[in-house]
Amino acid sequence: MKPFTYVRAADPVEAAKAVAEHPGARFIAGGTNLLDLMKLQVETPTHLIDINRLGLDRIEKADHGGLRIGALVRNTDLAADKRVRRDYAVLTRALVAGASGQLRNKATTAGNLLQRTRCPYFYDTSKPCNKRKAGSGCAALGGLHRGLAILGTSEACIATHPSDMTVAMRLLDATVETVGPDGVARAIPIAEFHRLPGTTPHIETVLKPGELITGVLLPPPLGGRHIYRKVRDRASYAFALVSVAAVVGPDGQRFAFGGVAPKPWRVEAAEKLKGADAIAASVTLGARTTGQNAFKATLLRRTLSAVLAEAEA
């Protein structure tokens, strides 16, 4: 373990300033991802700012009819909230599909949005990884990449985003609320929040230095059948090979996909089509596959087919 300093922030702007003013500083809340990365020396922060006492742990009704979820709301509490279970069931189902109960008790809403990839080469510091060290190369391209991305990739990175919660948030068109070290607040549509790797895979979001997530705003509820289906190598405690979040109802259909791209994947144009084959073909248009991960395109189609059958049952 590398040495680091630690402070508890008293308010969000103070926390943002502390990160902006200390090179190598990181926010810490549940720590379910960061602490693992520190133990492996994938992340080596010099200064930790504890944000657990900022009062960002509430779920409140928003003026426009949706819900505002504090950045520090734990995954367990969010999944169990009566309003979420009733009006945003796809979110509850996605949260319960992720990790274990013990981890969900600690993991936070903001932490889920900011999860780092589970690509094995990112975690192996003996191998090159452009996410871990910009310009060092991507070992996954010539290595074992069966579980990695087929959409939105680049020559610099083929890692996937691991969060189940974020796939449901993308489906729901959530908005990420932030505050910067200058006290200026921003509202970022989740569709714009995560970046594709391009030539800079180490820059994963549009957050500015020191910018702190304060909450997530959900729009008014979507009517219809809410479904989250996750396909993985084992029944629990595993990340998605493919996941599908869906809302299907009389007013239309929406789909978002996980396990296939560096960010939650949604193609709105495909939602106007009928049938799993047509929708899946539109979603996977331009996919870059190899002999190892080409099965994901077929698996996406079959999983989507199962989702549509469940919606019609």
Side-chain angles (χ1 to χ4, degrees):
M1 182 69 73
K2 299 286 186 180
F4 58 87
T5 52
Y6 167 92
V7 296
R8 286 176 176 162
D11 65 70
V13 175
E14 177 189 304
K17 285 181 179 178
V19 166
E21 293 172 357
H22 291 82
R26 296 286 189 276
F27 301 118
I28 186 166
T32 57
N33 193 192
L34 179 60
L35 292 177
D36 282 345
L37 295 174
M38 290 172 65
K39 291 173 185 176
L40 295 170
Q41 296 189 17
V42 174
E43 290 262 11
T44 55
T46 57
H47 190 54
L48 292 182
I49 294 89
D50 188 332
I51 58 173
N52 279 295
R53 299 187 179 186
L54 299 186
L56 302 175
D57 57 353
R58 293 184 291 274
I59 304 172
E60 302 169 312
K61 186 174 181 179
D63 293 340
H64 71 310
L67 285 181
R68 177 170 283 104
I69 303 164
L72 300 178
V73 172
R74 308 295 167 170
N75 286 179
T76 295
D77 296 331
L78 181 57
D81 185 90
K82 291 181 180 179
R83 294 160 295 184
V84 175
R85 292 173 63 188
R86 181 188 66 227
D87 297 330
Y88 305 94
V90 66
L91 180 54
T92 287
R93 290 170 181 155
L95 285 161
V96 172
S100 65
Q102 295 94 327
L103 288 172
R104 292 196 298 270
N105 288 342
K106 291 295 292 181
T108 63
T109 300
N112 240 271
L113 289 170
L114 297 174
Q115 273 194 82
R116 307 299 304 276
T117 183
R118 262 50 179 196
C119 173
Y121 298 102
F122 172 72
Y123 275 78
D124 185 350
T125 55
S126 69
K127 300 295 191 296
C129 173
N130 288 319
K131 274 191 179 294
R132 196 176 60 246
K133 183 179 179 182
S136 64
C138 176
L141 288 170
L144 297 173
H145 53 261
R146 170 180 173 273
L148 298 184
I150 62 173
L151 296 165
T153 62
S154 73
E155 292 299 325
C157 185
I158 57 172
T160 55
H161 192 276
S163 169
D164 292 288
M165 181 204 80
T166 308
V167 178
M169 294 282 195
R170 176 66 183 91
L171 179 80
L172 296 169
D173 277 333
T175 299
V176 182
E177 299 181 327
T178 69
V179 66
D182 55 1
V184 175
R186 281 208 294 165
I188 307 168
I190 196 165
E192 302 170 11
F193 182 76
H194 296 97
R195 291 168 46 115
L196 292 177
T199 58
T200 55
H202 60 293
I203 305 174
E204 297 176 346
T205 72
V206 298
L207 291 175
K208 300 174 182 177
E211 196 168 10
L212 173 70
I213 297 174
T214 55
V216 174
L217 186 65
L218 296 181
L222 292 172
R225 188 80 177 269
H226 287 224
I227 299 168
Y228 188 79
R229 185 174 287 254
K230 178 178 180 179
V231 182
R232 43 194 164 179
D233 280 326
R234 58 181 189 270
S236 62
Y237 311 151
F239 296 95
L241 291 171
V242 168
S243 64
V244 180
V247 173
V248 181
D251 297 327
Q253 56 187 5
R254 290 189 186 191
F255 307 101
F257 302 87
V260 293
K263 60 187 286 186
W265 201 255
R266 184 174 170 205
V267 179
E268 280 91 340
E271 296 167 2
K272 298 179 175 63
L273 303 175
K274 298 296 183 182
D277 289 353
I279 296 167
S282 178
V283 168
T284 58
L285 187 66
R288 299 173 61 179
T289 64
T290 71
Q292 292 185 34
N293 65 11
F295 75 95
K296 283 198 171 193
T298 302
L299 185 59
L300 184 150
R301 176 177 54 80
R302 291 177 176 172
T303 306
L304 179 60
S305 181
V307 165
L308 290 173
E310 182 179 346
E312 294 170 359

